[in-house]
Amino acid sequence: ISTVVVHFADPAGYPVSFAGLVRMNGQERQVINETDNHESQVYRAKIEPVTIDSFRLTVRASANPAYPNAAQISEIELYP
């Protein structure tokens, strides 16, 4: 993959801080480390191209103060 696109389901509670990790041959590597996101609907990231076994998105903080550690994701797209 070389592009990650994340669609957020709730524009009021989108992730402001999150990480994208890939697993390659049993090893994990962080490819996204966002700490100040202001995109409320879609986040796009170009990354160094990698061949992966899996992708994990971890939300660290949300824009919604009522649920500061949770956000709704509607879709994750991974492109070559």
Side-chain angles (χ1 to χ4, degrees):
I1 65 170
S2 65
T3 303
V4 177
V5 181
V6 183
H7 298 265
F8 307 130
D10 180 5
Y14 64 92
V16 293
S17 177
F18 52 93
L21 294 103
V22 296
R23 180 172 286 277
M24 306 175 305
N25 302 321
Q27 302 281 324
E28 278 195 350
R29 185 170 118 200
Q30 185 170 290
V31 294
I32 296 173
N33 183 29
E34 182 63 54
T35 58
D36 192 27
N37 176 49
H38 295 284
E39 297 296 331
S40 64
Q41 295 183 345
V42 178
Y43 173 85
R44 290 178 176 81
K46 287 278 193 186
I47 62 170
E48 177 184 331
V50 291
T51 300
I52 66 170
D53 299 322
S54 63
F55 177 84
R56 177 173 42 179
L57 182 73
T58 303
V59 175
R60 296 182 294 232
S62 167
N64 186 341
Y67 301 99
N69 298 318
Q72 295 180 31
I73 308 299
S74 62
E75 184 177 16
I76 298 174
E77 301 174 74
L78 305 174
Y79 294 103

